[in-house]
């Protein structure tokens, strides 16, 4: 194949060889520019934009963290009664049936809920902090019907 092209090229006149060489050089330059230089330039421009956006976002996050550090601490909610009564009332508000509730001193209680939907139970547990309760220990045992049995120990929020 190369011999045929070489023979064809040598068969051209000097002027034709110069024109074919010039056309090949121009085609090579065009392929280089459009095939390599422009795509790399666009990639570098896009990388610079992504870097600028990431830097701006990092600055906003740092500013937000600084504002959070300077913000006054939120006051812990106060408990509106004995721990076991508040926990029972919160469980009943959420639609759970409390099987047993045992007070453990002035600042703690143990609750047993025999059946609850897992998602609803987790939402309820998360919301206990707003009522002034802290969860010390939770045991969730799955049941065959998709519900869970919950044994939990609660304490007054802010008490260690």
């Amino acid at each position: 194949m190369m011999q045929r092209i070489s023979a064809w090229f040598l068969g051209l006149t000097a002027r034709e060889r110069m024109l074919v060489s010039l056309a090949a050089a121009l085609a090579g330059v065009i392929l280089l520019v459009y095939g390599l230089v422009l795509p790399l330039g666009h990639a570098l421009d896009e990388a610079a934009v992504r870097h600028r956006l990431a830097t701006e976002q990092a600055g906003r996050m740092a500013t937000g963290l600084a504002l959070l550090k300077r913000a006054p601490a939120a006051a812990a909610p106060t408990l509106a009664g004995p721990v076991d009564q508040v926990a029972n009332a919160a469980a009943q508000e959420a639609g759970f049936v409390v099987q047993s509730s045992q007070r453990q001193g002035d600042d703690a209680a143990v609750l047993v809920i025999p059946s609850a939907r897992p998602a609803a139970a987790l939402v309820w547990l998360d919301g206990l902090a707003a009522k002034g309760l802290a969860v010390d220990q939770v045991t969730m045992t799955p049941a065959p019907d998709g519900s869970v049995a919950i044994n939990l120990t609660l304490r007054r929020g802010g008490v260690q």
Side-chain angles (χ1 to χ4, degrees), residues 7-25:
W8 169 78
F9 187 73
L10 291 175
L12 298 175
T13 64
R15 183 175 180 209
E16 288 172 339
R17 271 188 249 145
M18 177 147 38
L19 288 174
V20 168
S21 298
L22 182 64

Side-chain angles (χ1 to χ4, degrees), residues 99-135:
Q99 182 177 1
S100 71
S101 173
Q102 298 174 349
R103 182 184 290 189
Q104 296 202 335
D106 292 338
D107 293 331
V110 176
L111 264 67
V112 177
I113 300 173
S115 179
R117 290 188 342 257
L122 291 173
V123 169
W124 174 68
L125 288 171
D126 188 45
L128 289 176
K131 297 188 183 307
L133 294 172
V135 178

Side-chain angles (χ1 to χ4, degrees), residues 14 33 40 53 59-61 66 72 79 86 88 96 104-105 109 119 128 151:
V33 167
L40 285 177
L53 291 174
R60 285 191 301 270
M61 288 175 64
L79 200 58
V86 173
N88 276 332
F96 300 125
Q104 296 202 335
L128 289 176
N151 294 335

